[in-house]
Structures are given as C-alpha cells and as structure tokens.
Amino acid sequence: MTTKLDQSHDSQPPMTTEEVTRLKNRKADAKLQAGLAETLHSQMPAMEEFDGRVYPKGSEAIAISGISASRQAIEAGTEAFIPDHVDVEFTARLEPRSLRRPKFIERNDFMRGEIGVKTIFGVDNRKVFYSTAYPWRCVGKVESPIGSGSGVMIGPRHLLTCSHIIDWRPNNTTGWLKFTPMYYNGSSPYGSAWAIRTYYKHKVSGPTIDSTEIKFDYVVVVLDRPMGNATGWMGSKSYSDSWDGGAYWTHAGYPGDLTGGQRPTYQTGIALDGDFWSPDSHESMSHKGDVWPGQSGGAFWGYWDNSPYAVAVQSAHNPSDNLASGGSDLVDLVIKARAEFP
C-alpha cells in the first residue's frame, strides 16, 4: 500500500541552538557489553572475485516507490538510541592542538577558475572534532568505488547517507560500501561495517544532479554487523517547511579541503529552506552551511526532547546555495529497512 503524505502543516520545531547548548552532558552509567568491541573489529566482510581480483562483496539494491509506511508512522519518525555505556555531549570536543594538521586544499586557489561558485559563505564555521561521545560517535566516513563521503548511524545496523555515493550496478546490485563510525586519521574505534542491502527511492549518479535527483539523494544501507549497539544511533523525522529559516540544524562530515577526508568537522546553527514547489514528502533544501566534497551524505540533525533526529543529508551545490535532500520519503526508507532487516 502506498500512502500519500503532505506535511506542509505546522509541526513542532526542534530545540533552538541556545536551548541545546544549555543541556547538561551525561556520563556513561554502564560498561560496554563484554566481547562486543572484539566482535565488531574481528568480523571480516564477505568477498567476491571479479576479473582475477578479490573485492568486498556489493549489496542488493531494493527500490521503494511512494511511501509505504502509514501516515502515523511517518509523522512519528524513528527513535534515537543512546546506549548506557556512552557519554553524552551536546557540543563536540575539538581535536587537541597536538593533532591539528595544515589545511589539505586551499579552497580559493582550487576554485579560482570557477567564477561565481561558492560552497563556503563568509567565514568558514566548520570545526574539526575529536569525540567518542554520543551523538558524535554516530557520524562516520563512507567509502565506495565512487569515492568517499559521510554518513550517520540511523538504526542498529542502518546507515543514512547520500544516493550518489552508491556504485549502482545492473541486476539490482551495488558495488561495495564501507562505513567507519568516528573515523579519525586512520583510527576506527568501533571497526568498520560493509553494506549488504541498500534501500533507495531514486538512483542518483554524479557528477551532476538534476532537479528530480536532488529531492531523492538519500539511501538507507543495511550493514553486515550491528554497529549501533556500540555507537547508538540518531532518530529520523520528516522535514516540514514550517521550519524554514530556523537555525536549528547541526551538520557533520568529512571534507576534502580542510582535512583531506581524514578528520570530521561539524557546524551548528544552520538554517534550511525547503523548496516551495515540492511537497514535504521529498524536497531539496537550500542552505548556507559550509560544505565541500566529502561531506555529501552527512546528516543535518536537530534535537527534540534532548535527542538528535536527522531530517536531511548533504547533497549538492549550485553557484548561490548548498543543497540538502530529505522529506518523508527519507523516514520511509528508515522504517522499511529497519523493519525488514532489524
């Protein structure tokens, strides 16, 4: 059954940035389950041979048309999970001075020939962070044959990222995809996981993204192991245009310019503006957050009742705006993937 859904009516907005900064951090009140870390690190990915070489195995691609979940389920979204064994910090710890490195790419020199193109507007507000506290530990680096991007844990073994990082192949398959939560300069505190299923609404392939693709540039990937038991995960909510202009949102990812995709950055106080010609079920959202290739797939999240909920992922840019992608269809993918492969 397909549900038609338009959430253009007013919905409860997330907490303001000021409200979030006043929240109190919390210390873990339990220890990590015995053997979990060793299991996550030691499990090897499934492999396949192609043309005489051995590669990590790709995933099954599962198309979801329309909205399959009920109106009530979509409006409720999916819940965040904070494990008892993790600290909770609402402001990310910055990387220590001893670990700081020079900028990998001088952005202005690199783009000198592209007249009018900007992805950083005014002062660059991204900060490199170094934290294994929740929710920052849910953020991670995504790698595939296409390149590298960003993503976030959205379920027990479920990754939210962009569609254009997926190596789409024939016969409902994809190339391999690797996710490493809180990757930092080669460090992987929770190990890495590999895709076995990829739920999508639209196959988006770069290097350009058209006006339809920008509304559906997200996927939910089922991983081969339950990374979320170690990291926790964020919830998901459907974006409402009634939130346009509110500087509620945090974004995190692995930019190629500042850190060469080796260390994560974050920015708070970002405002999104949903396109007025599309329903809230699937739409692009313009913003002036600071981004660079490598941050694609990184979530935009806000806080409701002290917990983080993703509403969109970084997708693209044009000469005047950066663009995120989200809507009720994003939540529908999360619900479907978590129900069929818990």
Side-chain angles (χ1 to χ4, degrees), residues 282-298:
H282 47 268
E283 61 178 329
S284 64
M285 305 153 199
S286 61
H287 66 89
K288 301 292 186 183
D290 300 321
V291 299
W292 189 265
Q295 290 174 242
S296 289

Side-chain angles (χ1 to χ4, degrees), residues 139-143 178-183 187-189 191-193 254:
V139 174
K141 183 174 181 176
V142 176
E143 299 171 84
K178 178 183 178 183
F179 177 65
T180 308
M182 202 43 229
Y183 176 90
S187 169
S188 53
S192 298
Y254 287 78

Side-chain angles (χ1 to χ4, degrees), residues 295-308:
Q295 290 174 242
S296 289
F300 289 84
W301 75 85
Y303 290 84
W304 282 263
D305 298 325
N306 303 350
S307 294

